[in-house]
Amino acid sequence: MTGRAILEVKETLAGEHQEFACSLLAAAPGEAVILYEMHRAGRVADLDLPAGTLSLGYFWEDRPYNAYHWLTPAGRTLALYCNIADRTRITPAAIAWRDLAVDVLATPDGRAQVLDEDELPPDLDPALRAAIAAARDDLLAALPALLPAIERCTAALLAGRGRCVDRLP
């Protein structure tokens, strides 16, 4: 299933920008799900991502994170990869967000790894550092409900059965 074209625009803490051409699968006020196909194999932590991996990006303007549901080309969940984020803005043309460096990788077997905390700049504003830590902790607490809910939503979206994004925990 593909939707209309939308651009994902990621800004890093250092101010670098990356853009990804995606397809919009679902949207509700302040929420959206986009689809991106990875054309090259990759690796994140100890997880191999084969060429053809599907990445469904779940974005919320009112949450301090976003989530990518990674699926094999055959549709099996590889992981949920979450970025601690802020400044998420969803418009008809683009989803823009700031990546706050810290990520959480959750696999279907129940493992969750916190990644990249060492990438936080030493001179990072203490209030932002505290907000990142609080978001990480909230995300880790939400994962047991979030991963299966996103798996159900992804299955519904790929089967063309609704938009479900507005019903996620």
Side-chain angles (χ1 to χ4, degrees):
M1 171 185 203
T2 59
R4 69 173 171 76
I6 191 165
L7 194 63
E8 178 186 349
V9 181
K10 175 177 127 174
E11 177 187 355
T12 67
L13 279 172
E16 298 168 5
H17 283 81
Q18 293 179 312
E19 296 185 356
F20 304 90
C22 302
S23 297
L24 180 68
L25 294 184
E31 305 176 342
V33 182
I34 60 176
L35 175 65
Y36 179 81
E37 183 178 342
M38 298 179 192
H39 297 288
R40 289 182 290 212
R43 185 171 180 88
V44 174
D46 61 353
L47 179 68
D48 289 318
L49 301 169
T53 293
L54 297 178
S55 178
L56 280 82
Y58 286 76
F59 295 88
W60 301 270
E61 290 183 340
D62 64 350
R63 295 187 190 192
Y65 59 86
N66 58 43
Y68 295 94
H69 185 195
W70 289 338
L71 304 166
T72 66
R76 183 179 52 83
T77 294
L78 290 165
L80 189 65
Y81 182 74
C82 303
N83 304 110
I84 305 302
D86 69 359
R87 301 182 186 167
T88 301
R89 294 293 166 257
I90 300 167
T91 69
I95 297 172
W97 61 284
R98 183 170 71 157
D99 184 353
L100 298 178
V102 176
D103 306 310
V104 175
L105 179 66
T107 53
D109 62 7
R111 291 182 306 130
Q113 301 174 62
V114 177
L115 307 173
D116 304 329
E117 286 183 304
D118 60 324
E119 293 181 11
L120 291 173
D123 61 346
L124 186 66
D125 175 63
L128 183 55
R129 187 178 296 276
I132 291 168
R136 176 203 60 216
D137 294 345
D138 290 346
L139 177 57
L140 288 169
L143 278 177
L146 188 61
L147 178 56
I150 284 181
E151 286 181 311
R152 287 189 301 273
C153 187
T154 293
L157 289 169
L158 293 179
R161 297 188 318 262
R163 58 187 184 103
C164 71
V165 64
D166 55 349
R167 295 188 300 274
L168 290 171

